[in-house]
Amino acid sequence: MSNIHYGKDLSSDIINALSLCSAIVTDENVVRLYPQFTRDAIVIPAGESSKTPETVLNILSELSARGLSRRDRIAAVGGGVVGDVAGLAAALYMRGIEWVSVPTTLLAMADAGLGGKTAVNFSGVKNLIGAFHAPSEVIVSYEFIKTLSARDRLCGIGEVIKTCLLTKHAYAVLKSNIDGLAEFDGDAVCPLIEQCIEIKNAVVTADPREKGLRKILNVGHTVGHALESADGYKLSHGEYVLKGMAAECAMCKDLIDGDYYAELIAVFKRFVTPPRTSANAVFDRAVKDKKNADGKINIMLPVAAGEVLDVSMERADFSARYDRALKELKRVWAE
């Protein structure tokens, strides 16, 4: 995978890397907070509304106007949306140029800024248009998390929790730091970021194009993406991932270790409310997801610490399980 650097304050590394880039892509929030990293940048509006083909085309137009060649590289300085659109533009420009990822949100540090999945939303479907195009370098500086909003913190927490379910060691680290994570204490958050980086690096190195192992990174994302689309992206991506994990676990409660299930539901309950979207609305969107085929829904289900099971369901089974899950989660959240 990419050359990854991570640590408390890597400002000098960032400045050095950006000096070798011919263009920087960022958003309005990052420009306001970190002008030292975003001089002469291509600036997009902050938020999911910028994750469109039009945004990518605008970036490509600017790269062309600036005369970039195939030997040039660009940088993405920002959160998941910035990385997605800049990475996809880099994949498309002259059939592919190098790019550097400088994630500034917890979501991007733990997941989106790593691995080279780049995509935009299209026709009401999450990440429908995209490419695998890994950054040549990733610089994760923990200093950025100090300026995150409450919503951006919660967004990242969703991906941190998801990733820490994938190995026994990471799950143990999560359990020992869950209170600090809820309080967003840096002494708890930073070790969890490190776990996420190490896990994703190992998974993506082994399976760069999601032919097998990399599918485990989709825990919570089948239902989560469907909820996100159905809800019009009103909440952050990480919140929908948490809701998706809660729903998927409740749907397949019979397949999960009992004590582990109780622990997971207790974690999800700390951060989000249960989903309310109907089974039909979720299925109709989930069936279009790139992870699914032949009219069936596939979910990656955490069944024990560090153990994930690939579960496939027909519409009738999915709908029945989802309806039961909504009732189960409503009851648990009321307790």
Side-chain angles (χ1 to χ4, degrees), residues 36-307:
Q36 70 271 34
F37 300 135
T38 55
R39 293 187 182 94
D40 300 318
I42 301 169
V43 183
I44 67 172
E48 189 77 15
S49 61
S50 286
K51 197 169 166 178
T52 65
E54 291 75 20
T55 300
V56 174
L57 289 173
N58 289 338
I59 294 170
L60 291 170
S61 294
E62 185 63 27
L63 299 182
S64 177
R66 295 187 184 194
L68 270 69
S69 72
R70 182 175 279 181
R71 293 184 297 276
D72 288 306
R73 63 166 56 178
I74 67 172
V77 182
V81 172
V82 170
D84 262 315
V85 297
L88 184 54
L92 295 172
Y93 191 74
M94 294 188 173
R95 295 183 180 151
I97 62 173
E98 290 188 355
W99 68 292
V100 175
S101 174
V102 182
T104 62
T105 64
L106 180 58
L107 168 73
M109 292 179 188
D111 183 72
L114 313 168
K117 272 188 176 181
T118 68
V120 293
N121 306 330
F122 184 69
S123 192
V125 181
K126 181 86 171 178
N127 297 331
L128 187 63
I129 299 173
F132 289 96
H133 189 54
S136 56
E137 186 175 10
V138 181
I139 305 173
V140 179
S141 181
Y142 302 152
E143 285 293 296
F144 287 120
I145 67 174
K146 293 180 179 179
T147 58
L148 294 180
S149 67
R151 173 53 53 82
D152 281 333
R153 291 178 179 184
L154 186 53
C155 180
I157 285 171
E159 288 290 354
V160 166
I161 291 172
K162 175 214 77 176
T163 305
C164 286
L165 302 184
L166 304 183
T167 71
K168 288 183 178 180
H169 176 68
Y171 183 61
V173 175
L174 174 66
K175 289 175 68 174
S176 64
N177 286 283
I178 192 65
D179 292 335
L181 180 63
E183 296 165 3
F184 214 73
D185 180 345
D187 290 337
V189 176
C190 292
L192 292 170
I193 296 173
E194 292 179 11
Q195 290 298 311
C196 293
I197 292 171
E198 291 172 7
I199 289 170
K200 186 151 189 182
N201 188 26
V203 169
V204 173
T205 298
D207 182 19
R209 299 187 67 85
E210 201 172 301
K211 299 298 184 182
L213 177 64
R214 188 167 178 167
K215 292 179 181 179
I216 67 172
L217 297 173
N218 292 324
V219 166
H221 280 64
T222 297
V223 171
H225 278 173
L227 293 171
E228 198 169 4
S229 297
D231 206 26
Y233 308 101
K234 293 176 182 176
L235 304 178
S236 70
H237 173 68
E239 288 171 274
Y240 287 113
V241 170
L242 285 165
K243 288 173 178 282
M245 287 190 288
E248 290 175 4
C249 287
M251 289 170 68
C252 301
K253 181 179 178 180
D254 55 311
L255 303 177
I256 304 174
D257 174 83
D259 292 338
Y260 184 62
Y261 174 80
E263 291 176 0
L264 292 185
I265 294 299
V267 169
F268 304 146
K269 189 177 177 180
R270 295 186 69 159
F271 297 101
V272 293
T273 58
R276 297 179 180 178
T277 308
S278 71
N280 284 339
V282 171
F283 185 92
D284 288 344
R285 286 162 176 82
V287 78
K288 298 177 183 177
D289 193 292
K290 59 188 177 299
K291 297 182 288 295
N292 302 313
D294 302 322
K296 295 181 180 179
I297 301 297
N298 296 307
I299 66 173
M300 301 306 297
L301 182 72
V303 294
E307 186 177 340

